[in-house]
Amino acid sequence: MDSTDNKEVASELLPFIRVYKDGSVDRLMESPKVPPSPEDPETGVSSKDITISHNPLITARIYLPKLLTTQHEQKLPVLVYFHGGGFCFESAYSLVETKLMNSLVSEARIVAISIEYRLAPENPLPIPHKDCWAALNWVTSHSASDDVIINNEPWLTTHGDFERVFVGGDSAGANLAHYTLIRAGNDSLHGGVKIFGAFLTHPYFWGSDPVGSEIKDIEEREKLAPFTVWKYLYPSATDGIDNVMVNPFGPEKPSLGKQIGCSKLLVSVAEFDLLRDRGILYVNAVKESGFEGEVELVQVDGENHAFHILNYESETAKKMIKRLASFLLQ
């Protein structure tokens, strides 16, 4: 008999998680976790798992492309990446995220670090956001201009080009990336490092007022995952589903363009994704609010949410990876 058969359910956020009264959580939609590899057989990319912080516990998987003997100290762009999963499931160590990182690192020839932030509901929002900001600061502490490094990571000190630091994420991870951009626009990163660029793929934003082709009926909107996930995981959020962390748009909200702390921004949306119109709105809001950098919208026809991760072997996914890699190579 499964051990969960004897446990009493406290609450559920279906089809994603089930929480029991003893505090344990079943994550119902996760892909399997896989170990890192000293050399991925498909791409030649090396990866290993590292600890960023012991208290609180924040870990990561770091990736390095295959280098020639003459390139052993070559400086490479640095990508700090945040996985998706509605803030409450998936992992930097999952099969699909590892496949994504191996492909992207091989294609773009970057050092990438995928953050294993703490998940809700055991760690209530905005803890995942704070973990990602702390992880980004730890990465930038490896810059030559900063001599205070806790848990020094040789791949970053040897190969990291801190003039070309990127952040990125998919879905909820793109929301986390947005949060770090706003923080970086208002607060200094360790070493005085500036974020050069960011990509947000299928970003998780929502709000009470429908935009574009979104469902208009209020009751129906409140049944949709973008609403139910936020309400379940952050019931105390000021303004609810219109909290600035999930709905950064509108006259009452701070100007996006004046706050975003990077020089280049790429936002990608998919035709059949429920979040599509929010991603387009985000790009327009950034353009119209005084952003002084470059912003680009990539629209992919015929695909759904996170297709480049969940269907990583498809030709459309491979094309998307190449597009992200070209952005990182600018």
Side-chain angles (χ1 to χ4, degrees), residues 143-296:
S143 64
S145 58
D146 195 335
D147 58 3
V148 181
I149 306 176
I150 301 173
N151 299 333
N152 171 56
E153 171 45 53
W155 287 5
L156 286 172
T157 52
T158 302
H159 296 290
D161 178 357
F162 291 95
E163 296 294 320
R164 298 181 63 80
V165 172
F166 293 82
V167 298
D170 63 275
S171 191
N175 180 287
L176 295 166
H178 161 76
Y179 174 82
T180 65
L181 291 176
I182 297 298
R183 284 290 302 268
N186 290 279
D187 302 324
S188 296
L189 285 162
H190 283 173
V193 171
K194 303 294 183 183
I195 299 173
F196 182 71
F199 66 80
L200 312 182
T201 56
H202 314 160
Y204 175 18
F205 298 118
W206 202 247
S208 57
D209 293 332
V211 301
S213 60
E214 291 176 0
I215 293 173
K216 306 297 189 289
D217 183 83
I218 294 175
E219 289 188 7
E220 291 301 313
R221 287 179 64 78
E222 292 184 355
K223 297 176 184 177
L224 298 173
F227 180 89
T228 59
V229 167
W230 187 259
K231 183 179 179 181
Y232 182 92
L233 296 178
Y234 202 178
S236 64
T238 303
D239 299 324
I241 196 62
D242 290 314
N243 181 275
V244 69
M245 294 174 72
V246 72
N247 182 13
F249 318 109
E252 303 295 321
K253 307 293 172 67
S255 169
L256 277 177
K258 299 295 185 183
Q259 290 194 98
I260 290 177
C262 70
S263 301
K264 296 178 181 291
L265 179 64
L266 182 147
V267 178
S268 176
V269 299
E271 181 181 6
F272 301 132
D273 186 5
L274 188 62
L275 302 175
R276 172 183 176 272
D277 291 321
R278 294 279 159 175
I280 295 171
L281 176 63
Y282 184 87
V283 169
N284 291 335
V286 170
K287 286 180 176 179
E288 294 166 5
S289 59
F291 182 61
E292 296 180 354
E294 299 175 16
V295 58
E296 180 181 0

Side-chain angles (χ1 to χ4, degrees), residues 75-94:
K75 294 296 183 180
L76 305 170
V78 176
L79 169 65
V80 183
Y81 187 80
F82 312 117
H83 70 81
F87 310 112
C88 62
F89 67 100
E90 275 301 354
S91 168
Y93 308 138
S94 74

